[in-house]
Amino acid sequence: EAEVAQSPRYKITEKSQAVAFWCDPISGHATLYWYRQILGQGPELLVQFQDESVVDDSQLPKDRFSAERLKGVDSTLKIQPAELGDSAMYLCASSLVGPYEQYFGPGTRLTVT
Amino acid sequence: LAKTTQPISMDSYEGQEVNITCSHNNIATNDYITWYQQFPSQGPRFIIQGYKTKVTNEVASLFIPADRKSSTLSLPRVSLSDTAVYYCLVAKGGNNDMRFGAGTRLTVKP
């Protein structure tokens, strides 16, 4: 069964450093999502792509976060500089059409010290 | 954007049927209802989706009354491995607008 790949699985970084996460969606999935999940809470949508275009980044803290999906396939989410409050699980998901059935990757657990 | 309300937690025992109800009073005409399951340290996993009446698949059933202001996820004969957080989402058909709430933490006891 095809899966969404994410790397790294775990990342520890010091505040003020830059950090990047990578996601490879299921082949053929045009829609890609990045979520942030703080322990004990539901996932919060950060950015959504349709192919290479951003559809929704209203919840993305644009002063420090950036996301790209240059060729409409894999995607990178970057934080610069990282802050203590950024410690969370970062999840990537993809879907064929719209939001109906999203397939999630295993996530990247970020710890900022 | 339709807001959803679910119980924070539920307990059950192995072999019982579990029903988790989600309230979505402001659901719009073209909104679909989707449920996800999440285990610790994993991404959510799609369970079931519906628009009205009843939907059933190999793992769950989804009951949606005529007014569509609530929905009930039914898990038949739960086992310990069904212990997880369950999320109810309402998403507009053709519109990429989906928000997760806090979910319902289900604990299945032996």
Side-chain angles (χ1 to χ4, degrees), chain A residues 6-40:
Chain A
Q6 288 188 249
S7 67
R9 292 294 308 278
Y10 304 92
K11 180 70 177 180
I12 300 174
T13 190
E14 295 182 346
K15 65 178 182 179
S16 80
Q17 296 296 306
V19 63
F21 314 126
W22 177 78
C23 172
D24 191 14
I26 293 174
S27 178
H29 281 194
T31 308
L32 185 146
Y33 313 79
W34 282 102
Y35 290 89
R36 175 172 59 186
Q37 185 171 27
I38 296 170
L39 195 62

mmCIF file of all heavy atoms in Angstrom, chain A residues 6-40:
data_model
loop_
_atom_site.group_PDB
_atom_site.id
_atom_site.type_symbol
_atom_site.label_atom_id
_atom_site.label_comp_id
_atom_site.label_asym_id
_atom_site.label_seq_id
_atom_site.Cartn_x
_atom_site.Cartn_y
_atom_site.Cartn_z
ATOM 1 N N GLN A 6 7.778 10.925 5.232
ATOM 2 C CA GLN A 6 8.249 12.150 5.855
ATOM 3 C C GLN A 6 9.628 11.902 6.444
ATOM 4 O O GLN A 6 9.920 10.802 6.930
ATOM 5 C CB GLN A 6 7.320 12.614 6.985
ATOM 6 C CG GLN A 6 6.001 13.166 6.512
ATOM 7 C CD GLN A 6 5.210 13.785 7.648
ATOM 8 O OE1 GLN A 6 4.184 13.269 8.066
ATOM 9 N NE2 GLN A 6 5.697 14.926 8.131
ATOM 10 N N SER A 7 10.449 12.942 6.418
ATOM 11 C CA SER A 7 11.745 12.866 7.093
ATOM 12 C C SER A 7 12.162 14.249 7.547
ATOM 13 O O SER A 7 11.746 15.258 6.947
ATOM 14 C CB SER A 7 12.800 12.266 6.144
ATOM 15 O OG SER A 7 13.057 13.148 5.066
ATOM 16 N N PRO A 8 12.945 14.316 8.640
ATOM 17 C CA PRO A 8 13.271 13.198 9.511
ATOM 18 C C PRO A 8 12.085 12.813 10.385
ATOM 19 O O PRO A 8 11.079 13.510 10.394
ATOM 20 C CB PRO A 8 14.408 13.779 10.357
ATOM 21 C CG PRO A 8 14.071 15.237 10.473
ATOM 22 C CD PRO A 8 13.470 15.609 9.143
ATOM 23 N N ARG A 9 12.159 11.730 11.093
ATOM 24 C CA ARG A 9 11.105 11.349 12.021
ATOM 25 C C ARG A 9 11.213 12.129 13.311
ATOM 26 O O ARG A 9 10.207 12.447 13.947
ATOM 27 C CB ARG A 9 11.175 9.856 12.321
ATOM 28 C CG ARG A 9 10.827 8.962 11.145
ATOM 29 C CD ARG A 9 9.343 9.125 10.744
ATOM 30 N NE ARG A 9 8.451 8.971 11.875
ATOM 31 C CZ ARG A 9 8.044 7.803 12.350
ATOM 32 N NH1 ARG A 9 8.462 6.683 11.782
ATOM 33 N NH2 ARG A 9 7.225 7.750 13.387
ATOM 34 N N TYR A 10 12.418 12.446 13.703
ATOM 35 C CA TYR A 10 12.650 13.204 14.924
ATOM 36 C C TYR A 10 13.716 14.261 14.644
ATOM 37 O O TYR A 10 14.652 14.015 13.891
ATOM 38 C CB TYR A 10 13.127 12.300 16.065
ATOM 39 C CG TYR A 10 12.193 11.159 16.363
ATOM 40 C CD1 TYR A 10 12.355 9.916 15.741
ATOM 41 C CD2 TYR A 10 11.129 11.323 17.241
ATOM 42 C CE1 TYR A 10 11.483 8.881 15.989
ATOM 43 C CE2 TYR A 10 10.247 10.280 17.503
ATOM 44 C CZ TYR A 10 10.433 9.070 16.869
ATOM 45 O OH TYR A 10 9.566 8.040 17.114
ATOM 46 N N LYS A 11 13.523 15.437 15.277
ATOM 47 C CA LYS A 11 14.492 16.516 15.109
ATOM 48 C C LYS A 11 14.568 17.318 16.390
ATOM 49 O O LYS A 11 13.545 17.743 16.932
ATOM 50 C CB LYS A 11 14.067 17.433 13.947
ATOM 51 C CG LYS A 11 15.008 18.595 13.695
ATOM 52 C CD LYS A 11 16.320 18.126 13.136
ATOM 53 C CE LYS A 11 17.238 19.301 12.811
ATOM 54 N NZ LYS A 11 18.534 18.834 12.256
ATOM 55 N N ILE A 12 15.789 17.475 16.889
ATOM 56 C CA ILE A 12 16.029 18.318 18.047
ATOM 57 C C ILE A 12 16.882 19.476 17.581
ATOM 58 O O ILE A 12 17.926 19.263 16.944
ATOM 59 C CB ILE A 12 16.732 17.554 19.181
ATOM 60 C CG1 ILE A 12 15.875 16.373 19.633
ATOM 61 C CG2 ILE A 12 17.020 18.479 20.362
ATOM 62 C CD1 ILE A 12 16.542 15.467 20.658
ATOM 63 N N THR A 13 16.462 20.678 17.868
ATOM 64 C CA THR A 13 17.200 21.844 17.444
ATOM 65 C C THR A 13 17.165 22.902 18.537
ATOM 66 O O THR A 13 16.284 22.889 19.405
ATOM 67 C CB THR A 13 16.628 22.418 16.138
ATOM 68 O OG1 THR A 13 17.509 23.409 15.616
ATOM 69 C CG2 THR A 13 15.264 23.054 16.381
ATOM 70 N N GLU A 14 18.108 23.803 18.486
ATOM 71 C CA GLU A 14 18.126 24.894 19.450
ATOM 72 C C GLU A 14 17.332 26.073 18.897
ATOM 73 O O GLU A 14 17.259 26.265 17.674
ATOM 74 C CB GLU A 14 19.564 25.314 19.735
ATOM 75 C CG GLU A 14 20.386 24.233 20.416
ATOM 76 C CD GLU A 14 21.800 24.702 20.720
ATOM 77 O OE1 GLU A 14 22.209 25.746 20.175
ATOM 78 O OE2 GLU A 14 22.491 24.010 21.484
ATOM 79 N N LYS A 15 16.755 26.817 19.800
ATOM 80 C CA LYS A 15 15.998 28.000 19.346
ATOM 81 C C LYS A 15 16.914 28.929 18.574
ATOM 82 O O LYS A 15 18.117 29.004 18.833
ATOM 83 C CB LYS A 15 15.353 28.714 20.513
ATOM 84 C CG LYS A 15 16.290 29.319 21.510
ATOM 85 C CD LYS A 15 15.507 30.033 22.605
ATOM 86 C CE LYS A 15 16.454 30.686 23.593
ATOM 87 N NZ LYS A 15 15.701 31.412 24.647
ATOM 88 N N SER A 16 16.314 29.594 17.599
ATOM 89 C CA SER A 16 16.967 30.516 16.668
ATOM 90 C C SER A 16 17.639 29.799 15.497
ATOM 91 O O SER A 16 18.088 30.458 14.558
ATOM 92 C CB SER A 16 17.975 31.442 17.359
ATOM 93 O OG SER A 16 19.194 30.778 17.591
ATOM 94 N N GLN A 17 17.692 28.465 15.550
ATOM 95 C CA GLN A 17 18.241 27.727 14.424
ATOM 96 C C GLN A 17 17.164 27.501 13.359
ATOM 97 O O GLN A 17 15.969 27.634 13.614
ATOM 98 C CB GLN A 17 18.795 26.378 14.877
ATOM 99 C CG GLN A 17 19.963 26.500 15.831
ATOM 100 C CD GLN A 17 21.151 27.168 15.175
ATOM 101 O OE1 GLN A 17 21.630 26.747 14.122
ATOM 102 N NE2 GLN A 17 21.634 28.241 15.798
ATOM 103 N N ALA A 18 17.629 27.148 12.167
ATOM 104 C CA ALA A 18 16.717 26.818 11.078
ATOM 105 C C ALA A 18 16.481 25.316 11.052
ATOM 106 O O ALA A 18 17.372 24.528 11.386
ATOM 107 C CB ALA A 18 17.290 27.279 9.746
ATOM 108 N N VAL A 19 15.279 24.918 10.655
ATOM 109 C CA VAL A 19 14.947 23.496 10.565
ATOM 110 C C VAL A 19 14.044 23.279 9.350
ATOM 111 O O VAL A 19 13.265 24.172 8.985
ATOM 112 C CB VAL A 19 14.272 23.007 11.863
ATOM 113 C CG1 VAL A 19 12.950 23.714 12.097
ATOM 114 C CG2 VAL A 19 14.104 21.507 11.863
ATOM 115 N N ALA A 20 14.181 22.135 8.725
ATOM 116 C CA ALA A 20 13.384 21.830 7.530
ATOM 117 C C ALA A 20 12.851 20.421 7.607
ATOM 118 O O ALA A 20 13.527 19.502 8.086
ATOM 119 C CB ALA A 20 14.222 22.008 6.270
ATOM 120 N N PHE A 21 11.643 20.250 7.093
ATOM 121 C CA PHE A 21 10.984 18.947 7.049
ATOM 122 C C PHE A 21 10.627 18.647 5.602
ATOM 123 O O PHE A 21 10.236 19.549 4.844
ATOM 124 C CB PHE A 21 9.700 18.936 7.889
ATOM 125 C CG PHE A 21 9.836 19.544 9.247
ATOM 126 C CD1 PHE A 21 8.977 20.549 9.654
ATOM 127 C CD2 PHE A 21 10.819 19.113 10.113
ATOM 128 C CE1 PHE A 21 9.098 21.112 10.907
ATOM 129 C CE2 PHE A 21 10.949 19.672 11.372
ATOM 130 C CZ PHE A 21 10.085 20.684 11.769
ATOM 131 N N TRP A 22 10.687 17.373 5.259
ATOM 132 C CA TRP A 22 10.411 16.961 3.886
ATOM 133 C C TRP A 22 9.248 15.985 3.851
ATOM 134 O O TRP A 22 9.075 15.164 4.758
ATOM 135 C CB TRP A 22 11.661 16.314 3.292
ATOM 136 C CG TRP A 22 11.503 15.779 1.914
ATOM 137 C CD1 TRP A 22 11.504 16.475 0.737
ATOM 138 C CD2 TRP A 22 11.313 14.403 1.552
ATOM 139 N NE1 TRP A 22 11.334 15.620 -0.332
ATOM 140 C CE2 TRP A 22 11.217 14.339 0.153
ATOM 141 C CE3 TRP A 22 11.216 13.226 2.289
ATOM 142 C CZ2 TRP A 22 11.033 13.147 -0.539
ATOM 143 C CZ3 TRP A 22 11.034 12.039 1.606
ATOM 144 C CH2 TRP A 22 10.941 12.006 0.209
ATOM 145 N N CYS A 23 8.446 16.081 2.799
ATOM 146 C CA CYS A 23 7.304 15.198 2.632
ATOM 147 C C CYS A 23 7.201 14.743 1.184
ATOM 148 O O CYS A 23 7.297 15.559 0.259
ATOM 149 C CB CYS A 23 6.013 15.918 3.033
ATOM 150 S SG CYS A 23 4.500 14.995 2.649
ATOM 151 N N ASP A 24 6.981 13.458 0.996
ATOM 152 C CA ASP A 24 6.736 12.905 -0.334
ATOM 153 C C ASP A 24 5.347 12.267 -0.319
ATOM 154 O O ASP A 24 5.141 11.249 0.335
ATOM 155 C CB ASP A 24 7.789 11.861 -0.689
ATOM 156 C CG ASP A 24 7.728 11.447 -2.149
ATOM 157 O OD1 ASP A 24 7.054 12.142 -2.936
ATOM 158 O OD2 ASP A 24 8.347 10.433 -2.513
ATOM 159 N N PRO A 25 4.386 12.858 -1.004
ATOM 160 C CA PRO A 25 3.014 12.350 -0.951
ATOM 161 C C PRO A 25 2.856 11.068 -1.765
ATOM 162 O O PRO A 25 3.769 10.651 -2.473
ATOM 163 C CB PRO A 25 2.207 13.485 -1.578
ATOM 164 C CG PRO A 25 3.160 14.084 -2.570
ATOM 165 C CD PRO A 25 4.514 14.001 -1.908
ATOM 166 N N ILE A 26 1.701 10.485 -1.658
ATOM 167 C CA ILE A 26 1.375 9.306 -2.469
ATOM 168 C C ILE A 26 1.356 9.741 -3.943
ATOM 169 O O ILE A 26 0.822 10.805 -4.273
ATOM 170 C CB ILE A 26 0.030 8.716 -2.030
ATOM 171 C CG1 ILE A 26 0.168 8.135 -0.617
ATOM 172 C CG2 ILE A 26 -0.449 7.659 -3.010
ATOM 173 C CD1 ILE A 26 -1.132 7.658 -0.012
ATOM 174 N N SER A 27 1.925 8.914 -4.783
ATOM 175 C CA SER A 27 2.018 9.237 -6.199
ATOM 176 C C SER A 27 0.642 9.527 -6.794
ATOM 177 O O SER A 27 -0.312 8.766 -6.588
ATOM 178 C CB SER A 27 2.660 8.069 -6.953
ATOM 179 O OG SER A 27 2.719 8.334 -8.339
ATOM 180 N N GLY A 28 0.555 10.651 -7.497
ATOM 181 C CA GLY A 28 -0.701 11.017 -8.139
ATOM 182 C C GLY A 28 -1.612 11.899 -7.308
ATOM 183 O O GLY A 28 -2.621 12.397 -7.808
ATOM 184 N N HIS A 29 -1.253 12.102 -6.041
ATOM 185 C CA HIS A 29 -2.074 12.959 -5.187
ATOM 186 C C HIS A 29 -1.710 14.417 -5.434
ATOM 187 O O HIS A 29 -0.610 14.856 -5.153
ATOM 188 C CB HIS A 29 -1.860 12.602 -3.709
ATOM 189 C CG HIS A 29 -2.601 11.389 -3.278
ATOM 190 N ND1 HIS A 29 -2.786 11.059 -1.948
ATOM 191 C CD2 HIS A 29 -3.222 10.424 -3.986
ATOM 192 C CE1 HIS A 29 -3.491 9.950 -1.874
ATOM 193 N NE2 HIS A 29 -3.756 9.532 -3.097
ATOM 194 N N ALA A 30 -2.694 15.168 -5.915
ATOM 195 C CA ALA A 30 -2.437 16.554 -6.278
ATOM 196 C C ALA A 30 -2.466 17.479 -5.071
ATOM 197 O O ALA A 30 -1.860 18.548 -5.076
ATOM 198 C CB ALA A 30 -3.456 17.018 -7.317
ATOM 199 N N THR A 31 -3.208 17.089 -4.034
ATOM 200 C CA THR A 31 -3.369 17.970 -2.870
ATOM 201 C C THR A 31 -2.452 17.515 -1.750
ATOM 202 O O THR A 31 -2.409 16.336 -1.406
ATOM 203 C CB THR A 31 -4.829 17.953 -2.395
ATOM 204 O OG1 THR A 31 -5.692 18.227 -3.511
ATOM 205 C CG2 THR A 31 -5.041 19.039 -1.345
ATOM 206 N N LEU A 32 -1.724 18.470 -1.184
ATOM 207 C CA LEU A 32 -0.781 18.185 -0.095
ATOM 208 C C LEU A 32 -1.010 19.169 1.033
ATOM 209 O O LEU A 32 -1.234 20.368 0.798
ATOM 210 C CB LEU A 32 0.662 18.275 -0.612
ATOM 211 C CG LEU A 32 1.783 17.888 0.361
ATOM 212 C CD1 LEU A 32 2.940 17.229 -0.398
ATOM 213 C CD2 LEU A 32 2.277 19.066 1.165
ATOM 214 N N TYR A 33 -0.980 18.647 2.254
ATOM 215 C CA TYR A 33 -1.242 19.453 3.445
ATOM 216 C C TYR A 33 -0.083 19.322 4.430
ATOM 217 O O TYR A 33 0.482 18.241 4.587
ATOM 218 C CB TYR A 33 -2.502 18.969 4.166
ATOM 219 C CG TYR A 33 -3.719 18.729 3.307
ATOM 220 C CD1 TYR A 33 -3.860 17.575 2.552
ATOM 221 C CD2 TYR A 33 -4.765 19.651 3.280
ATOM 222 C CE1 TYR A 33 -4.981 17.336 1.781
ATOM 223 C CE2 TYR A 33 -5.904 19.423 2.517
ATOM 224 C CZ TYR A 33 -6.000 18.260 1.770
ATOM 225 O OH TYR A 33 -7.124 18.037 1.005
ATOM 226 N N TRP A 34 0.205 20.408 5.111
ATOM 227 C CA TRP A 34 1.082 20.388 6.284
ATOM 228 C C TRP A 34 0.248 20.791 7.487
ATOM 229 O O TRP A 34 -0.457 21.807 7.476
ATOM 230 C CB TRP A 34 2.244 21.360 6.129
ATOM 231 C CG TRP A 34 3.350 20.895 5.249
ATOM 232 C CD1 TRP A 34 3.602 21.271 3.957
ATOM 233 C CD2 TRP A 34 4.395 19.979 5.592
ATOM 234 N NE1 TRP A 34 4.719 20.639 3.480
ATOM 235 C CE2 TRP A 34 5.231 19.848 4.475
ATOM 236 C CE3 TRP A 34 4.712 19.270 6.759
ATOM 237 C CZ2 TRP A 34 6.359 19.024 4.464
ATOM 238 C CZ3 TRP A 34 5.835 18.458 6.750
ATOM 239 C CH2 TRP A 34 6.641 18.340 5.615
ATOM 240 N N TYR A 35 0.377 19.975 8.558
ATOM 241 C CA TYR A 35 -0.303 20.244 9.811
ATOM 242 C C TYR A 35 0.722 20.323 10.939
ATOM 243 O O TYR A 35 1.773 19.694 10.897
ATOM 244 C CB TYR A 35 -1.276 19.117 10.178
ATOM 245 C CG TYR A 35 -2.498 18.991 9.314
ATOM 246 C CD1 TYR A 35 -2.482 18.211 8.159
ATOM 247 C CD2 TYR A 35 -3.700 19.604 9.666
ATOM 248 C CE1 TYR A 35 -3.620 18.074 7.371
ATOM 249 C CE2 TYR A 35 -4.846 19.459 8.891
ATOM 250 C CZ TYR A 35 -4.790 18.695 7.753
ATOM 251 O OH TYR A 35 -5.923 18.548 6.980
ATOM 252 N N ARG A 36 0.362 21.025 11.971
ATOM 253 C CA ARG A 36 1.115 21.034 13.216
ATOM 254 C C ARG A 36 0.192 20.508 14.314
ATOM 255 O O ARG A 36 -0.968 20.942 14.409
ATOM 256 C CB ARG A 36 1.583 22.453 13.577
ATOM 257 C CG ARG A 36 2.281 22.561 14.923
ATOM 258 C CD ARG A 36 2.872 23.929 15.132
ATOM 259 N NE ARG A 36 1.887 25.006 15.074
ATOM 260 C CZ ARG A 36 2.183 26.289 15.120
ATOM 261 N NH1 ARG A 36 3.452 26.672 15.201
ATOM 262 N NH2 ARG A 36 1.240 27.195 15.070
ATOM 263 N N GLN A 37 0.705 19.597 15.122
ATOM 264 C CA GLN A 37 -0.096 19.034 16.193
ATOM 265 C C GLN A 37 0.665 19.147 17.508
ATOM 266 O O GLN A 37 1.699 18.501 17.694
ATOM 267 C CB GLN A 37 -0.473 17.578 15.912
ATOM 268 C CG GLN A 37 -1.413 17.001 16.966
ATOM 269 C CD GLN A 37 -1.955 15.641 16.589
ATOM 270 O OE1 GLN A 37 -1.332 14.887 15.839
ATOM 271 N NE2 GLN A 37 -3.145 15.308 17.089
ATOM 272 N N ILE A 38 0.112 19.929 18.393
ATOM 273 C CA ILE A 38 0.660 20.060 19.740
ATOM 274 C C ILE A 38 0.070 18.942 20.590
ATOM 275 O O ILE A 38 -1.101 18.565 20.417
ATOM 276 C CB ILE A 38 0.326 21.443 20.324
ATOM 277 C CG1 ILE A 38 1.012 22.521 19.477
ATOM 278 C CG2 ILE A 38 0.729 21.548 21.781
ATOM 279 C CD1 ILE A 38 0.584 23.921 19.798
ATOM 280 N N LEU A 39 0.860 18.401 21.471
ATOM 281 C CA LEU A 39 0.444 17.270 22.289
ATOM 282 C C LEU A 39 -0.891 17.534 22.975
ATOM 283 O O LEU A 39 -1.076 18.563 23.622
ATOM 284 C CB LEU A 39 1.526 16.973 23.335
ATOM 285 C CG LEU A 39 1.427 15.626 24.043
ATOM 286 C CD1 LEU A 39 1.563 14.480 23.049
ATOM 287 C CD2 LEU A 39 2.473 15.519 25.140
ATOM 288 N N GLY A 40 -1.845 16.624 22.783
ATOM 289 C CA GLY A 40 -3.148 16.743 23.421
ATOM 290 C C GLY A 40 -4.176 17.513 22.618
ATOM 291 O O GLY A 40 -5.326 17.640 23.038
#
